[in-house]
């Protein structure tokens, strides 16, 4: 059922996405990992083909030379077989595991450690066949998976047919000439080409599959309006979230401070604990200055430094700076009760400017 049909019309919040990630639920396609495993396993197989063939020939010779006389209870036979088997298998399996892990890390953008996905859920012990068939056969996801697997089968058949048809007569001629080893090499070459092309085609198919999985994942995380409100209420009281929000607000404020100071008429300070900037626009509807920035402690010192760099007047007035900082927000117009003292400050600035020009 679509998220909208269940009333989940709101996009998932960052908190909800992060919570799902901590639980091990992320958008990823198994097709990408599988395609990478096949591709790199085939590549290492081609790269080590001569070594593998040589190792197989050695082990055949070893056992055929001793098959009539060797004691089957002799542990040497087992150790020789195991040693040769590991030499052949370990490089391929190691590369395959590494490719699979890398594919998952790329999709999840890093390592995720969570026990939740493997915790037993007793409500899923009894199979729900109706729901299962509904999801796998009679849903958008089910139809997409069927189409995807159908395309894979067609690709394997077509690629196999093309390469076999291209080399089959050469192979028959080699066999007719009695060149058995050469025929084995030709078959291995044909198989390697087929597997490489199939792996690359699977990798191409996995790219749209990833975007489909990503879209479905975000759909599954969508929220109702009530869930959005409830989450906001829960997070509002979270000290960690409050701290992050406050930090973000301070960063945004600092980003706007340089422009506010540059355009300000005056900076009123206290002298190091508080600082506010005022701007008077004669053409504005409000006939009073507006607070364009404010800061406390380090931010206040930052505002003062910017004012000095931009040759803006800095007026030290402890009570006014403190009052304006505590009672007004950035963008507020100065209330009427402060008109007199602010007018005196502007008059002082004007007087200082006239005195400097004489």
């Amino acid at each position: 059922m679509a998220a909208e049909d269940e009333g989940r019309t709101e996009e998932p919040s960052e908190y909800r996405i992060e919570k799902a990630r901590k639980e091990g639920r992320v958008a990823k396609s198994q097709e990408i990992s599988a395609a990478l495993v096949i591709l790199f396993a085939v590549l290492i197989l081609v790269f080590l083909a001569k070594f593998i063939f040589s190792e197989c020939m050695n082990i055949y010779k070893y056992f055929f030379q001793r098959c009539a006389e060797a004691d089957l209870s002799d542990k040497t036979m087992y150790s020789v077989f195991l040693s040769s088997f590991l030499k052949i298998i370990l490089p391929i399996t190691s590369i395959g595991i590494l490719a699979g892990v890398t594919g998952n890390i790329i999709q999840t953008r890093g390592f995720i450690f969570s026990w939740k996905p493997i915790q037993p859920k007793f409500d899923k012990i009894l199979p729900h066949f109706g729901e299962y068939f509904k999801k796998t056969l009679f849903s958008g996801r089910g139809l997409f998976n069927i189409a995807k697997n159908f395309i894979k089968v067609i690709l394997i058949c077509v690629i196999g047919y093309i390469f076999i048809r291209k080399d089959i007569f050469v192979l028959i001629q080699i066999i007719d000439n009695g060149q058995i080893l050469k025929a084995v090499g030709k078959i291995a070459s044909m198989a390697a080409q087929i597997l490489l092309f199939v792996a690359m085609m699977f990798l191409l198919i996995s790219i749209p599959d990833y975007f489909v999985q990503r879209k479905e994942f975000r759909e599954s995380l969508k929220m109702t309006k009530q869930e959005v409100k409830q989450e906001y209420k829960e997070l509002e009281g979270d000290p960690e979230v409050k701290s992050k929000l406050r930090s973000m607000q301070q960063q945004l404020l600092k980003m706007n401070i340089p422009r506010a100071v540059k355009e300000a008429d005056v900076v009123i300070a206290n002298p190091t604990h508080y600082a506010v900037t005022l701007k008077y626009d004669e053409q504005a509807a409000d006939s009073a200055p507006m607070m364009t920035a404010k800061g406390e402690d380090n931010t206040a010192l930052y505002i003062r430094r910017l004012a000095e760099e931009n040759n803006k007047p800095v007026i030290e007035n402890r009570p006014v700076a403190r009052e304006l900082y505590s009672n007004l927000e950035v963008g507020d117009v100065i209330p009427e009760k402060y008109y007199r003292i602010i007018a005196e400050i502007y008059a002082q600035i004007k007087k200082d400017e006239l005195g400097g020009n004489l």
Side-chain angles (χ1 to χ4, degrees):
M1 187 179 290
E4 285 77 8
D5 297 336
E6 298 175 351
R8 294 186 288 115
T9 57
E10 307 303 308
E11 289 296 321
S13 63
E14 290 298 323
Y15 173 77
R16 192 178 182 94
I17 294 171
E18 186 61 29
K19 184 180 178 183
R21 180 180 176 83
K22 289 178 180 177
E23 293 174 353
R25 295 187 294 132
V26 290
K28 66 176 182 178
S29 169
Q30 297 297 340
E31 301 293 334
I32 291 180
S33 300
L36 287 174
V37 169
I38 295 171
L39 180 61
F40 282 94
V42 172
L43 286 173
I44 194 68
L45 191 61
V46 171
F47 182 74
L48 297 177
K50 289 184 178 180
F51 166 77
I52 293 172
F53 181 76
S54 174
E55 196 67 29
C56 287
M57 293 303 295
N58 289 336
I59 198 169
Y60 290 151
K61 287 178 183 177
Y62 179 85
F63 282 103
F64 275 120
Q65 288 172 357
R66 293 164 176 77
C67 62
E69 56 189 41
D71 183 4
L72 292 178
S73 62
D74 186 1
K75 293 183 179 179
T76 306
M77 303 284 283
Y78 298 101
S79 62
V80 169
F81 171 77
L82 184 61
S83 175
S84 298
F85 178 77
L86 291 177
K87 284 180 185 179
I88 296 169
I89 293 299
L90 277 181
I92 301 171
T93 53
S94 300
I95 291 296
I97 292 169
L98 183 62
V101 172
T102 303
N104 279 301
I105 291 173
I106 291 171
Q107 293 181 81
T108 58
R109 297 178 178 85
F111 288 97
I112 299 175
F113 297 98
S114 175
W115 293 103
K116 193 156 187 178
I118 59 174
Q119 287 178 354
K121 295 182 179 180
F122 296 102
D123 59 330
K124 293 188 176 182
I125 291 177
L126 294 175
H128 302 281
F129 292 108
E131 186 178 345
Y132 172 76
F133 285 116
K134 184 180 178 181
K135 284 183 178 180
T136 55
L137 297 176
F138 306 107
S139 66
R141 182 194 300 178
L143 292 173
F144 176 76
N145 288 333
I146 291 171
K148 181 177 63 180
N149 291 326
F150 185 66
I151 291 170
K152 283 183 179 181
V153 172
I154 292 175
L155 280 173
I156 293 171
C157 293
V158 170
I159 292 171
Y161 174 78
I162 291 171
F163 280 98
I164 293 172
R165 185 173 181 271
K166 179 171 69 77
D167 293 332
I168 188 65
F169 296 108
V170 176
L171 178 63
I172 292 171
Q173 188 176 2
I174 292 171
I175 294 173
D176 285 343
N177 294 335
Q179 299 172 301
I180 303 301
L181 289 179
K182 191 175 180 180
V184 171
K186 187 62 179 177
I187 293 170
S189 175
M190 291 166 61
Q193 290 178 64
I194 292 170
L195 288 172
L196 278 173
F197 271 85
V198 166
M200 287 189 286
M201 290 299 104
F202 281 11
L203 193 58
L204 286 176
I205 292 172
S206 68
I207 294 172
D209 181 67
Y210 170 75
F211 287 104
V212 170
Q213 297 295 338
R214 186 177 176 182
K215 182 182 177 183
E216 287 186 351
F217 175 70
R218 290 192 69 87
E219 282 284 318
S220 70
L221 293 180
K222 276 190 173 181
M223 309 165 70
T224 63
K225 293 184 183 295
Q226 182 59 36
E227 286 176 332
V228 173
K229 292 178 182 178
Q230 185 63 32
E231 184 182 280
Y232 179 77
K233 287 180 181 178
E234 291 175 359
L235 294 179
E236 197 177 25
D238 190 331
E240 185 178 347
V241 173
K242 275 188 172 181
S243 175
K244 285 183 179 178
L245 288 173
R246 189 159 48 247
S247 175
M248 289 172 64
Q249 288 171 349
Q250 289 175 356
Q251 288 177 3
L252 288 172
L253 187 62
K254 280 192 174 184
M255 288 172 64
N256 294 326
I257 283 175
R259 181 179 176 184
V261 174
K262 189 175 182 180
E263 297 177 353
D265 298 324
V266 61
V267 173
I268 304 175
N270 176 25
T272 57
H273 292 297
Y274 300 100
V276 299
T277 62
L278 300 182
K279 171 70 177 174
Y280 179 55
D281 187 356
E282 295 180 357
Q283 297 179 352
D286 299 307
S287 58
M290 176 189 293
M291 179 188 286
T292 55
K294 69 175 186 176
E296 182 180 8
D297 296 331
N298 290 335
T299 308
L301 293 173
Y302 177 58
I303 291 173
R304 291 198 61 159
R305 188 173 74 250
L306 289 173
E308 292 170 1
E309 291 174 358
N310 289 275
N311 297 317
K312 297 293 179 179
V314 178
I315 305 297
E316 292 190 2
N317 191 316
R318 294 171 183 270
V320 174
R322 188 182 189 90
E323 281 283 316
L324 293 179
Y325 180 88
S326 302
N327 298 326
L328 299 181
E329 295 298 330
V330 174
D332 289 349
V333 175
I334 300 299
E336 190 175 347
K337 64 178 181 178
Y338 298 114
Y339 280 3
R340 185 170 174 274
I341 185 64
I342 297 301
E344 290 176 0
I345 290 172
Y346 269 82
Q348 181 184 340
I349 296 170
K350 194 71 175 175
K351 183 180 178 181
D352 292 341
E353 288 178 354
L354 290 173
N357 294 328
L358 292 177

